[in-house]
Amino acid sequence: MQERDLEKALVNHIREFLLELGVGFAFVGSQYHLEVGGEDFYIDLLFYHLRLRCFVVIDLKMAEFRPEYSGKMNFYVSAVDDLLRHPDDQPTIGMILCKSKNKAVAEYALRDVNKPIGISTHQMQGLPETLQSNLPTVEQLEMEMNAVSLEVPAQEVEA
């Protein structure tokens, strides 16, 4: 399954996905365009959390987690903070949704990152309680990704 196919299924399934994410999530866009230094970048899914008062960037990866994904997410979180965040908003949160089961690689990739970034099978240690109680669990996100991937017709996957 391609990342675009998963994203398309999630967008088509957005109402249910927002319910799965929990109370307070507002959908901002998919393939949300950012221009940084004259270059174009596209965030897979961008949300705003009304209770936390912050943006939530979601990057979809259908492969195992790779360390460079954390650098890309750090870039997106920083760009959203500088370009979109209102002075009254809290710092942006990043979520990398992927099939990784290797927690050691995720730990090293996130060890010195000072931004709130989580990975589908691993969340940063020391995530503040307010974030933990207002964000979906890893298990909830994985269940939603699996449910959506089962709904994508085979011909869309091959396209």
Side-chain angles (χ1 to χ4, degrees), residues 20 27 35 38 45 47 74 77 94 108 128 149-150 152:
E20 290 291 324
F27 181 67
E35 185 178 326
L45 297 170
F47 294 90
N74 191 51
V77 168
Y108 282 124
S149 66
L150 293 174
V152 178

Short mmCIF file of all heavy atoms in Angstrom, two decimals, residues 20 27 35 38 45 47 74 77 94 108 128 149-150 152:
data_model
loop_
_atom_site.label_atom_id
_atom_site.label_comp_id
_atom_site.label_asym_id
_atom_site.label_seq_id
_atom_site.Cartn_x
_atom_site.Cartn_y
_atom_site.Cartn_z
N GLU A 20 -11.67 8.79 16.28
CA GLU A 20 -10.67 7.88 16.84
C GLU A 20 -9.55 8.67 17.52
O GLU A 20 -9.01 8.23 18.53
CB GLU A 20 -10.06 6.99 15.75
CG GLU A 20 -11.00 5.95 15.20
CD GLU A 20 -11.34 4.88 16.21
OE1 GLU A 20 -10.46 4.51 17.02
OE2 GLU A 20 -12.48 4.40 16.20
N PHE A 27 -9.49 19.14 11.57
CA PHE A 27 -8.74 18.85 10.36
C PHE A 27 -8.38 20.15 9.65
O PHE A 27 -9.25 20.96 9.35
CB PHE A 27 -9.57 17.95 9.45
CG PHE A 27 -8.90 17.56 8.17
CD1 PHE A 27 -7.80 16.74 8.18
CD2 PHE A 27 -9.40 17.99 6.96
CE1 PHE A 27 -7.18 16.36 7.00
CE2 PHE A 27 -8.80 17.62 5.77
CZ PHE A 27 -7.69 16.80 5.79
N GLU A 35 5.94 26.66 2.15
CA GLU A 35 7.09 27.12 1.37
C GLU A 35 8.15 27.58 2.34
O GLU A 35 7.91 28.45 3.18
CB GLU A 35 6.70 28.25 0.43
CG GLU A 35 7.87 28.64 -0.47
CD GLU A 35 7.50 29.74 -1.46
OE1 GLU A 35 6.35 29.77 -1.92
OE2 GLU A 35 8.40 30.56 -1.74
N GLY A 38 12.08 29.16 -0.39
CA GLY A 38 11.81 29.05 -1.82
C GLY A 38 11.53 27.65 -2.29
O GLY A 38 11.35 27.42 -3.49
N LEU A 45 -0.70 15.08 6.79
CA LEU A 45 -1.94 15.48 7.45
C LEU A 45 -1.63 16.53 8.51
O LEU A 45 -0.69 16.37 9.28
CB LEU A 45 -2.61 14.28 8.13
CG LEU A 45 -3.07 13.15 7.21
CD1 LEU A 45 -3.48 11.93 8.02
CD2 LEU A 45 -4.21 13.61 6.32
N PHE A 47 -3.48 18.82 11.58
CA PHE A 47 -4.63 19.03 12.46
C PHE A 47 -4.33 20.18 13.40
O PHE A 47 -3.18 20.57 13.57
CB PHE A 47 -4.90 17.77 13.31
CG PHE A 47 -5.33 16.58 12.52
CD1 PHE A 47 -4.40 15.68 12.02
CD2 PHE A 47 -6.68 16.34 12.28
CE1 PHE A 47 -4.79 14.57 11.30
CE2 PHE A 47 -7.08 15.23 11.56
CZ PHE A 47 -6.14 14.34 11.07
N ASN A 74 11.05 16.90 12.60
CA ASN A 74 11.58 18.05 13.32
C ASN A 74 11.51 19.31 12.44
O ASN A 74 11.13 20.38 12.90
CB ASN A 74 13.01 17.77 13.78
CG ASN A 74 13.50 18.81 14.75
OD1 ASN A 74 12.85 19.12 15.73
ND2 ASN A 74 14.68 19.34 14.48
N VAL A 77 7.75 20.37 12.15
CA VAL A 77 7.29 20.97 13.41
C VAL A 77 7.85 22.39 13.55
O VAL A 77 7.12 23.32 13.89
CB VAL A 77 7.64 20.07 14.61
CG1 VAL A 77 7.45 20.80 15.93
CG2 VAL A 77 6.81 18.79 14.58
N GLY A 94 4.42 16.57 16.67
CA GLY A 94 4.61 15.74 15.49
C GLY A 94 4.35 14.28 15.79
O GLY A 94 4.74 13.79 16.84
N TYR A 108 17.10 6.18 19.80
CA TYR A 108 18.27 6.94 19.38
C TYR A 108 17.89 8.10 18.47
O TYR A 108 18.46 9.20 18.57
CB TYR A 108 19.28 6.04 18.65
CG TYR A 108 20.11 5.19 19.58
CD1 TYR A 108 20.14 3.81 19.42
CD2 TYR A 108 20.86 5.76 20.59
CE1 TYR A 108 20.90 3.02 20.28
CE2 TYR A 108 21.62 4.98 21.45
CZ TYR A 108 21.64 3.61 21.28
OH TYR A 108 22.39 2.85 22.12
N PRO A 128 4.72 15.29 28.36
CA PRO A 128 3.94 15.89 29.45
C PRO A 128 2.57 15.26 29.59
O PRO A 128 1.95 14.85 28.60
CB PRO A 128 3.83 17.36 29.02
CG PRO A 128 4.96 17.57 28.08
CD PRO A 128 5.19 16.26 27.40
N SER A 149 -6.43 0.75 6.06
CA SER A 149 -5.72 0.02 5.02
C SER A 149 -6.54 -1.16 4.51
O SER A 149 -6.44 -1.54 3.35
CB SER A 149 -4.34 -0.45 5.50
OG SER A 149 -4.48 -1.40 6.53
N LEU A 150 -7.39 -1.72 5.34
CA LEU A 150 -8.26 -2.81 4.91
C LEU A 150 -9.37 -2.33 4.00
O LEU A 150 -9.90 -3.09 3.20
CB LEU A 150 -8.87 -3.52 6.14
CG LEU A 150 -7.89 -4.28 7.02
CD1 LEU A 150 -8.60 -4.80 8.26
CD2 LEU A 150 -7.25 -5.43 6.25
N VAL A 152 -9.09 0.14 1.66
CA VAL A 152 -8.62 0.62 0.36
C VAL A 152 -8.74 -0.49 -0.66
O VAL A 152 -8.16 -1.56 -0.49
CB VAL A 152 -7.16 1.11 0.45
CG1 VAL A 152 -6.68 1.55 -0.92
CG2 VAL A 152 -7.05 2.26 1.43
#
